[in-house]
Amino acid sequence: MSHLKINNLLFFVLFSIFTSFANANTDLVGRCDGCNDTQKQTYARSWAISLLPTKAYPGTAISTVISVVDLKFDTLTTYRINSMKLPGGGGMAVPPWQTGVVIVSSPATVATKFNNVKLAKGELLNLLNATVIPTSVVGHPWEFVDCGYCENNIQSYLQSTANGKIEAVWLTSQALLLSFGVLNSPLATTYVINFEGGGQVMIEANISVGMKLVIKVIKVIDANNNTVPLKSVDLQNYNIWVPSELASESISSYLNNVGFYLPPGAIGIVTIQDCSKDPSIYEDVCE
């Protein structure tokens, strides 16, 4: 993606943030990822109570509308919290507030932004689902063991895929979330992308200060449904499923580079072996 396009997207992000601040007094939007109905309602009630004036006459009634966004399950729930200041008495220094909570329709401004967020996230998911990591980027899932370039290669590939469309859609979704005012902590967004030669990589995507798409490899699975350890120290006595001698040879070619191997001819459930055996007794299988 060109530097000019990044600057344009940055402008729109900042414009969205400014707009959200300008409208902050009308829409109260909070975030509760993965929360159940009770947790969301408690969250909204607690927030509404924290906004109540410390000094108010008994009988004062205040109605507060708070929308709660769940960015894990993409849900939006809006509550009206009706509060009334009770008469003092009984030795209470500060008379209490009585509150009631009901679910109401979300304000149009909030509902529109929320739908735009879902559309942007859906478009990004569709783009990544259609993406395949070619063997020219990473040749094999087992190449990831002690690999210093694999994650960076995938990141560079995704940044350049489809003329920056993936990066652009990601930036758009982040801008919408910022305009919601709910991006108060990193949004752990994970995606699964296929390898051309078989297998998958699970990544976590985020945005850097320089407005660039940044990914972190969370998990790698080969074509035989084996989880590939990212560090060679985790290979010792590690059991994997090997369906054929051809697959065994292919995996061993990468294991040999980090001091491990698969017993020649072994198929089925196979234990990865360490190459550091006494050469006077064992054949040097890793050469």
Side-chain angles (χ1 to χ4, degrees), residues 247-270:
S248 177
E249 293 173 3
S250 178
I251 294 172
S252 273
S253 67
Y254 291 97
L255 292 178
N256 291 170
N257 294 330
V258 292
F260 290 84
Y261 76 103
L262 293 179
I267 60 173
I269 299 175
V270 182

Side-chain angles (χ1 to χ4, degrees), residues 218-261:
I218 304 299
K219 187 176 183 179
V220 177
I221 301 174
D222 72 6
N224 306 313
N225 211 31
N226 296 304
T227 296
V228 178
L230 301 181
K231 299 295 182 182
S232 59
V233 294
D234 298 323
L235 292 173
Q236 186 73 48
N237 298 322
Y238 190 69
N239 294 321
I240 63 173
W241 173 258
V242 182
S244 65
E245 289 189 28
L246 182 62
S248 177
E249 293 173 3
S250 178
I251 294 172
S252 273
S253 67
Y254 291 97
L255 292 178
N256 291 170
N257 294 330
V258 292
F260 290 84
Y261 76 103

